[in-house]
Amino acid sequence: MSEVQEATQKTLQTRKQQFKNTSIATFVCGVIAYALNAAFAARIAEEMSLAQRVPTHTVAQSVLANYAAGSQIAAIVAGVCGAVCLCAILLWFVADLLEISKRENA
């Protein structure tokens, strides 16, 4: 019987570690995606500012469309990473609560 409890405890510890690693990794990915979003937005602003100041400078519509699409994709990725990170943190807390309850009931 104690072997089963030890195996369950190891499985719970493994799951907790997986949730912790997932939350950290998705948080880092979300921060990187948000930084890319900001970089694309800054590039759009720079191109528009340059086009207003220098009369001979023209901005291709396709370039702006590509920057805008990249910015939107990066924002979506940042949002998805944030949602996955939040879910992993919540599951990590639930696994921690399960571990505490198993210790108290043992």
Side-chain angles (χ1 to χ4, degrees):
M1 187 65 137
S2 65
E3 292 176 6
V4 173
Q5 288 177 346
E6 286 180 23
T8 304
Q9 187 67 20
K10 286 182 181 179
T11 303
L12 192 57
Q13 287 291 333
T14 304
R15 293 275 167 95
K16 274 179 55 178
Q17 190 63 39
Q18 288 174 345
F19 293 142
K20 180 180 177 182
N21 293 343
T22 302
S23 64
I24 291 170
T26 54
F27 179 78
V28 169
C29 288
V31 168
I32 291 170
Y34 189 74
L36 284 173
N37 180 18
F40 280 124
R43 187 69 181 151
I44 291 170
E46 182 182 339
E47 287 289 338
M48 295 303 287
S49 175
L50 196 59
Q52 286 179 345
R53 287 185 284 135
V54 181
T56 58
H57 182 76
T58 58
V59 181
Q61 191 66 30
S62 63
V63 170
L64 288 179
N66 288 340
Y67 286 148
S71 178
Q72 289 173 345
I73 290 170
I76 291 169
V77 169
V80 169
C81 285
V84 171
C85 180
L86 181 62
C87 290
I89 289 171
L90 291 175
L91 288 171
W92 180 17
F93 287 147
V94 167
D96 202 25
L97 291 174
L98 281 173
E99 182 183 14
I100 291 169
S101 70
K102 284 189 181 214
R103 261 192 269 138
E104 288 179 357
N105 291 335

